[in-house]
Amino acid sequence: MDIKKDPMGRAIADYHRTGKAGRLRVFSPMFEEDEIPVQTLFRNYQEMPETEQKALGMVNGKTLDVGAGSGCHSLVLQQRGVDVTAVDISPLSVETMRKRGVKNVLEQDFFALDEPYDTILMLMNGIGIVGTLERMPDFFRHLDRILAPGGQLLCDSSDISYVFEDEDGNIEYPEDMAYYGELNYTMQYKNIMGAAFDWLYVDADTLARIAAENGYIVEVIAEGEHYDYLARITKNIENN
Ligand code: SAH
């Protein structure tokens, strides 16, 4: 990724260097402009939501932290003696993680990795990088390659159907919408605009259905506080 098009990475680098950052703005055609508070990307263990704390406690073996950002989860795991590798496509985030002491950091696209891991972590809706439901089968074929035998993927996601709920609790989706969790975002930090990207919020039932079609099992481990959940995905060995 071009550092001139890396708003989140720049925000992370600024925050690391100076202890503060400007506004990391998020635009989506369907929503009002929003903001990601940059300091939350630097949360420590106590500041993490329970679903994330729970996920960190379930990690075992060689672990991959996907879209690791500032490295907040990798740092906790590293301190616990876990063999963890952080991967991120953002060069500025990767540089910051190295400065913060994350030992194993890869500047790469998750979909280009080919080494097996026992645990793959995708936190803060990390499974969102799949982008669309249509890309899910490719994602599971990739897991076939990089999930070690007996391995697990731990991810959290949100069911954003509540966004479409009216006062009476009826849910109505826009007619031209394929799946309500498929969004398109652009981010901006200072004068740095990122490229638009697809981001997926997948509800637990849809995730379980597509996983089953692709030879995987989804267990919902915990429910979060805001329509979110933590899931554990493993290969369905009875299928093979
Ligand atoms: N997991 C971190 C950061 C979440 S933000 C946390 O919980 O705080 C999502 C991160 O995913 C960003 O740092 C972004 O650069 C990274 N990312 C997006 N697409 C990616 C891909 N295809 N491969 C690797 N990292 C990716």
Side-chain angles (χ1 to χ4, degrees):
M1 190 202 281
D2 182 350
I3 64 163
K4 291 191 203 73
K5 292 196 173 146
D6 183 10
M8 187 186 265
R10 175 59 70 193
I12 284 177
D14 274 7
Y15 190 86
H16 173 68
R17 200 163 37 85
T18 66
K20 54 184 182 350
R23 293 184 335 122
L24 180 57
R25 302 161 73 188
V26 181
F27 305 94
S28 175
M30 284 193 21
F31 297 112
E32 304 272 298
E33 181 186 334
D34 203 356
E35 231 177 271
I36 298 178
V38 180
Q39 77 276 9
T40 65
L41 298 170
F42 285 78
R43 59 201 179 281
N44 62 28
Y45 183 76
Q46 276 72 34
E47 293 164 335
M48 288 171 189
E50 265 177 53
T51 45
E52 292 185 3
Q53 295 179 342
K54 184 130 196 166
L56 294 177
M58 292 173 67
V59 160
N60 62 58
K62 199 171 151 58
T63 297
L64 181 70
D65 180 8
V66 179
S70 83
C72 55
H73 301 110
S74 289
L75 284 167
V76 171
L77 293 173
Q78 195 171 281
Q79 216 167 15
R80 292 182 183 177
V82 174
D83 174 5
V84 62
T85 298
V87 63
D88 207 291
I89 39 164
S90 153
L92 291 165
S93 295
V94 163
E95 190 184 301
T96 304
M97 282 195 268
R98 292 199 171 115
K99 287 184 178 157
R100 295 184 79 207
V102 182
K103 286 189 212 123
N104 305 319
V105 188
L106 302 173
E107 181 186 329
Q108 245 180 312
D109 183 336
F110 165 72
F111 291 96
L113 298 177
D114 56 10
E115 248 195 88
Y117 293 89
D118 301 300
T119 299
I120 298 176
L121 273 183
M122 300 181 105
L123 297 181
M124 198 174 165
N125 196 63
I127 201 167
I129 67 169
V130 178
T132 60
L133 290 185
E134 202 186 0
R135 258 192 109 189
M136 274 284 180
D138 288 345
F139 171 68
F140 284 109
R141 295 296 68 83
H142 188 49
L143 279 190
D144 290 345
R145 288 190 288 273
I146 68 162
L147 202 54
Q152 57 172 351
L153 167 79
L154 301 169
C155 64
D156 56 12
S157 186
S158 300
D159 179 349
I160 62 164
S161 56
Y162 68 91
V163 168
F164 305 94
E165 211 172 280
D166 66 20
E167 291 127 33
D168 306 320
N170 300 314
I171 297 179
E172 212 168 302
Y173 305 113
E175 259 170 43
D176 57 348
M177 185 168 268
Y179 171 64
Y180 64 80
E182 292 180 345
L183 302 186
N184 188 272
Y185 282 127
T186 318
M187 288 202 227
Q188 182 180 2
Y189 178 73
K190 296 185 172 165
N191 58 355
I192 305 165
M193 284 299 285
F197 58 94
D198 291 330
W199 192 258
L200 177 67
Y201 290 93
V202 63
D203 69 277
D205 289 345
T206 303
L207 179 61
R209 175 176 57 78
I210 299 178
E213 288 165 8
N214 286 279
Y216 283 81
I217 297 170
V218 172
E219 294 160 72
V220 174
I221 303 294
E223 306 268 353
E225 280 173 11
H226 198 69
Y227 306 94
D228 58 316
Y229 61 93
L230 171 67
R232 178 171 184 263
I233 305 182
T234 50
K235 195 155 176 81
N236 183 356
I237 39 177
E238 279 175 25
N239 258 1
N240 296 285

